[in-house]
Amino acid sequence: MLQFSTGALLLLLLLQGLGVLVLGEVSKDFSNCLDFFYNKTPPKGISAAGYQPICQRYKNQYHFASLYDRRRRIPLYSAYMLSSPDGKRPSTPWMYEPQLAFSRASPEMAPFKIPVDQNVIESQAVLQDYKNSSFTKGHLNPSMHQKTKVDREATFTLTNIVPQQAGSNSGPWSTLENKVLSKFKDFCFGSMYVITGAMPYASGERWINNRVSVPEYMWSAYCCPTYNTSLPESAQSFFPTYAAVGRNDRNSGEEIVPVNVNVKRSVRGFDVREMPVETLESILKQRLAMPISLFHEQCQ
Ligand SMILES: *[C@@H]1O[C@H](CO)[C@@H](O)[C@H](O)[C@H]1NC(C)=O
Ligand SMILES: *[C@@H]1O[C@H](CO)[C@@H](O)[C@H](O)[C@H]1NC(C)=O
């Protein structure tokens, strides 16, 4: 009997070990989805505690990568390769990440089941958090920056979402997303690697439903190492890499992003400031107290 149970225990341990090896969705690093980073190199300088790498897997494929902040229940960033969208925004149910709740759950994002399991609620943001808030569900990797239907559907996971003011989401931030797409189409010859993230308040952090952190700013940077070198002069500073920070609170100070008061009321105070990547990195360094380097060797 003793022998049997020892054998069973060993078998169990072996299976557990295999399970850990086979599944790679939520893991200690991005080793299963390095292709979404320029030169297969994720941002450097982010201290690991509390941040969970997720290789965003859907319909048996990886689509992008997110670094999930477990305490804030939002991604710190999502990293992806941009491509021109084919067709319109898919209508797809919102999804969650099963492995944030159970490390041995399915490695694929999945639609929410009703009622939502308590372990899922504790481990991540759920639709209810957003339902009772005045915030929209803001994509970091937007569906309009993905080509295929499946790639676009995969962006509809709450681990790619932050609470974003409607005035930003459908205003200046959406304009920025369109501008980046145009730069890709007009001047970028190879891949464009994008990292888009959330910047928390310096103090007095805001939350929805006392659970999900509201970013004070959104930020984004791209790296397009192979581009049309006979660019018009006006576009030269935008390559190979450029960045932007967008306001997500119209009452924020103007040190990081100034406000243009001559725009229509619905979008006033949600300005986006475009800037070199080094400027964004120095803002992030100060705000997150981490010396972040977004792209390998500054994408040069
Ligand atoms: C949403 O807000 C309403 C009104 O404030 C409240 O009655 C309800 O319980 C809230 N629902 C959840 C799930 O928090
Ligand atoms: C590169 O840009 C120049 C100037 O805008 C344009 O005339 C040329 O056709 C572009 N080259 C390619 C290969 O797209």
Side-chain angles (χ1 to χ4, degrees):
M1 189 62 203
L2 181 68
Q3 240 173 355
F4 168 78
S5 51
T6 309
L9 183 65
L10 281 175
L11 183 64
L12 188 70
L13 287 173
L14 180 67
L15 287 175
Q16 267 187 352
L18 284 174
V20 168
L21 288 177
V22 169
L23 305 180
E25 179 61 88
V26 159
S27 72
K28 65 182 192 329
D29 57 31
F30 287 116
S31 52
N32 286 335
C33 52
L34 290 174
D35 286 345
F36 300 109
F37 299 94
Y38 169 60
N39 210 23
K40 301 188 190 296
T41 309
K44 295 215 167 80
I46 299 173
S47 41
Y51 292 114
Q52 176 65 64
I54 300 176
C55 289
Q56 298 281 10
R57 193 169 150 130
Y58 175 66
K59 297 200 170 160
N60 219 18
Q61 265 180 290
Y62 295 112
H63 299 271
F64 61 104
S66 300
L67 188 63
Y68 197 70
D69 183 338
R70 283 182 177 270
R71 187 176 70 83
R72 295 192 170 95
R73 295 193 180 90
I74 53 170
L76 176 65
Y77 66 72
S78 286
Y80 59 97
M81 280 158 79
L82 186 149
S83 56
S84 300
D86 255 356
K88 56 180 178 17
R89 183 184 170 103
S91 88
T92 194
W94 285 98
M95 294 179 276
Y96 72 104
E97 179 51 60
Q99 290 195 345
L100 284 173
F102 306 100
S103 60
R104 275 166 288 138
S106 157
E108 299 224 341
M109 60 180 80
F112 282 102
K113 296 176 195 74
I114 306 297
V116 184
D117 184 281
Q118 192 57 33
N119 291 298
V120 171
I121 295 176
E122 272 155 32
S123 62
Q124 57 202 292
V126 296
L127 288 169
Q128 204 57 248
D129 293 320
Y130 285 86
K131 206 161 272 173
N132 254 17
S133 79
S134 57
F135 289 83
T136 62
K137 296 190 268 307
H139 281 75
L140 294 187
N141 172 10
S143 103
M144 65 175 282
H145 280 179
Q146 296 296 323
K147 188 172 196 65
T148 67
K149 184 163 176 284
V150 186
D151 281 343
R152 306 189 78 191
E153 286 171 352
T155 66
F156 288 81
T157 168
L158 288 192
T159 58
N160 178 44
I161 295 295
V162 300
Q164 187 177 12
Q165 292 280 5
S168 160
N169 200 354
S170 55
W173 193 255
S174 155
T175 307
L176 174 78
E177 289 171 341
N178 278 304
K179 274 169 96 170
V180 171
L181 181 59
S182 300
K183 286 189 187 128
F184 170 74
K185 289 201 268 198
D186 296 346
F187 304 117
C188 191
F189 289 160
S191 301
M192 181 181 260
Y193 299 87
V194 184
I195 303 178
T196 297
M199 205 187 303
Y201 284 83
S203 61
E205 197 158 349
R206 320 281 162 92
W207 303 81
I208 56 173
N209 208 14
N210 287 320
R211 283 172 32 89
V212 178
S213 175
V214 175
E216 184 176 14
Y217 297 95
M218 318 273 292
W219 53 268
S220 184
Y222 64 77
C223 159
C224 163
T226 315
Y227 57 98
N228 185 343
T229 44
S230 37
L231 287 172
E233 201 152 339
S234 61
Q236 276 170 16
S237 59
F238 299 132
F239 287 91
T241 178
Y242 216 60
V245 175
R247 300 168 63 94
N248 193 35
D249 182 342
R250 44 164 52 122
N251 299 315
S252 293
E254 297 192 50
E255 323 79 62
I256 297 180
V257 185
V259 171
N260 177 1
V261 294
N262 301 313
V263 297
K264 64 177 190 221
R265 227 186 134 69
S266 60
V267 300
R268 197 178 302 158
F270 296 118
D271 306 65
V272 168
R273 174 184 155 207
E274 295 183 49
M275 59 183 72
V277 170
E278 302 79 67
T279 310
L280 169 61
E281 286 174 347
S282 73
I283 293 168
L284 290 175
K285 179 178 176 183
Q286 216 180 6
R287 183 57 66 103
L288 298 169
M290 294 188 244
I292 297 180
S293 157
L294 289 170
F295 300 114
H296 180 70
E297 292 181 350
Q298 309 285 358
C299 184
Q300 300 299 338

